[in-house]
Amino acid sequence: MNLAAGLVGLAVLLLLLALQVPVAIAMIIVAFGGVWIMFGLQPAIGVLANTPYDFVASWTLSAVPMFLLMGFVAYHAGLTAGLFDAAKLALRKVPGGLGIAAIFACSGFAAVCGSSLATAASMGRIAIPEMIKAGYRPSFATGALAAGGTIGALIPPSILMIIYGVFAETSVTQVFLGGISVGILTAISYTAVILIVAAFRKDIVPATPIGVENLNARSVVRAVWPVLVLIMLVFGGLFSGKFTATEAGAIGAAGAILISIVTGRMSWHVFGQSVLETLSTCASLFIIGVGAVMLTKFLGLSGVAGLIGGAVNDFELGYFELMLLIVVIYLILGMFMEPFGAMLVTLPVLLPVLHAQNIDLVWFGVFLVKLLEVGMITPPLGMNVFVIRNVAGQYASLTDIFRGVAIFIAADIVLIILLIAAPELSLFLPRLMQ
Amino acid sequence: MPAIDIAMRRITGGLALLGAAGVILMLVHVTAYVVMRHFASAPIPATIEIVSYYYMIVIAFLPIAWAERRGDMITVDVFRHLMPQVVKRWVDILVALITCAAYVALTWTTWLVAMREFGARSFVISLNLALPIWPGYCALPAAFALAALVSLYRAANGALGREPLASRGGAAMGALE
């Protein structure tokens, strides 16, 4: 009876999501209705009554607004504009240097911002026009930046990783450390793609060297160093254990505001916009977390969580089969859902399975974020591609950008296979720092 | 009707401003806490508790009605394009009513908790400081009730064939990801 209620609950959840009921509301309704049917009204009230407060009143979760604020200030104040120039100077002699510089700049921006959309937008706006002027094929240039944006959520800070850490009850700092390796590996794989294309297809990536005549090394360094110091302060404090995640986020946000003021990039508009977007993101995000906790309780009580875990056992799914299944599920979900919804709807089902299979939750967090980020660039719903279309729509159509991003998705798939085959790739840093 | 419109905007916007104040206070408070701890060896007492039980509650819940009004809530949009216009309108009304029902349930249940905590005047002990935490509980039913009103208003607007308060897709940059 309970099992049936659980399975019907999951079906109702999918129906509500398809009707475009907000993800949070759909989970709350299914959890409340499901527990009511199984155990009566009082337990259902119990599930609803305490969860919102208990989930949100959390010191770990308070890192989210602080890192969001840091990222939005960096984005709106254009703090990292100098990164692209610095990378261009360094890579001026490399074939495909301009494209690689854009990927490097994305990685640098990722270290102050936890969102892949903001990374794609801010670097796309700067890099795409220059790349196209230099003769890059527009679909390739826009695709590279849509993909480069995903590094934003991989290299810490990462909002996805904080929420994962809270939900999976694992150390956010450890997941962050894993994120550094996977973020860097992603940047390396995209760099390899650009180098290969530059070597074989001069019609897509031109061989002409980067024009850096108007760049002066000293002024570039002067523009970049405050941000680099801020990054080192935030991560040095976080990874040495001197700051908790929240403290690192607050120091980062305060530092970003200070640098913006000193460099004359701060205005009331920039500040207000950054605070309001932080608020809007928190309001829409935390309520999904609340819904996911309720759904977890419901699935646990109904026995569905156990059933799925048992099924994985009964079919004798090994590590590789299970991972293949998970990759396929998230690649499909990523086509239709934004990453927070996809992550929080699935974790209640998945976490018990992972526990049963003794899978390292730090590793899985990093791996999951990588999978979700691939979803940001796959059609039909590829948020990063939409953002690039917004900032560079005059150069390429949506179809062009999706076409250009395909080769980077191929690189992502290779990296995902590597991560499955050699988990040490992402666990190296977390283990080293333990 | 426009008068209701203005009232809705003002009230939801007002609560969101309180939330914004929460973000700024949290930033200043935590930064000061870190600086004091490292340079004056005198951390501000009860910082972790104040952040968790006050700022976080204010940031997460007070702006909910505002976010709901602006259409910032995260949804799955794929099947919408497949629906004919007439169906879309009725689906929107249905979704607004379902959303309203969920907020009503949340209002009611968190109200019960708020009354319990208020009755007990609940507090936490941080070192030698007793910090009252019951006010935070009271913010939840208020925020959810307003969000219920916003969704109900959207359903009514849909049924009357009026333009909704906020068009979908007006989400802020970060709200999408």
Side-chain angles (χ1 to χ4, degrees), chain B:
Chain B
M1 278 301 239
I4 304 181
D5 233 284
I6 294 168
M8 286 274 180
R9 275 170 199 278
R10 290 222 173 121
I11 300 171
T12 55
L15 281 190
L17 275 185
L18 284 179
V23 173
I24 298 167
L25 276 175
M26 184 161 147
L27 170 71
V28 173
H29 191 148
V30 176
T31 308
Y33 170 70
V34 175
V35 171
M36 296 278 282
R37 194 180 59 201
H38 284 281
F39 294 102
S41 313
I44 303 168
T47 295
I48 292 176
E49 288 77 10
I50 293 173
V51 167
S52 310
Y53 301 125
Y54 280 89
Y55 301 146
M56 281 300 280
I57 300 298
V58 163
I59 293 171
F61 295 114
L62 291 191
I64 281 209
W66 168 75
E68 187 63 52
R69 195 201 81 203
R70 294 175 8 134
D72 286 353
M73 289 300 171
I74 295 171
T75 56
V76 181
D77 297 334
V78 240
F79 300 104
R80 191 176 172 75
H81 312 290
L82 309 175
M83 298 175 195
Q85 203 58 41
V86 192
V87 179
K88 253 186 219 169
R89 190 178 143 217
W90 286 104
V91 166
D92 281 349
I93 296 172
L94 179 67
V95 168
L97 286 175
I98 292 174
T99 307
C100 177
Y103 283 129
V104 168
L106 284 167
T107 308
W108 176 47
T109 53
T110 55
W111 167 261
L112 296 176
V113 177
M115 284 302 99
R116 184 188 73 204
E117 300 292 326
F118 175 71
R121 298 290 189 282
S122 55
F123 61 87
V124 286
I125 304 279
S126 169
L127 292 176
N128 50 3
L129 195 82
L131 182 76
I133 56 167
W134 60 266
Y137 285 95
C138 300
L140 274 70
F144 287 134
L146 190 60
L149 276 181
V150 169
S151 337
L152 186 64
Y153 186 56
R154 191 164 66 226
N157 273 337
L160 295 173
R162 291 181 72 236
E163 278 294 301
L165 263 172
S167 54
R168 284 209 170 268
M173 189 89 218
L176 293 170
E177 193 214 4

Side-chain angles (χ1 to χ4, degrees), chain A residues 1-10 302 304:
Chain A
M1 161 64 193
N2 284 355
L3 209 54
L7 292 172
V8 171
L10 279 182
S302 70
V304 166

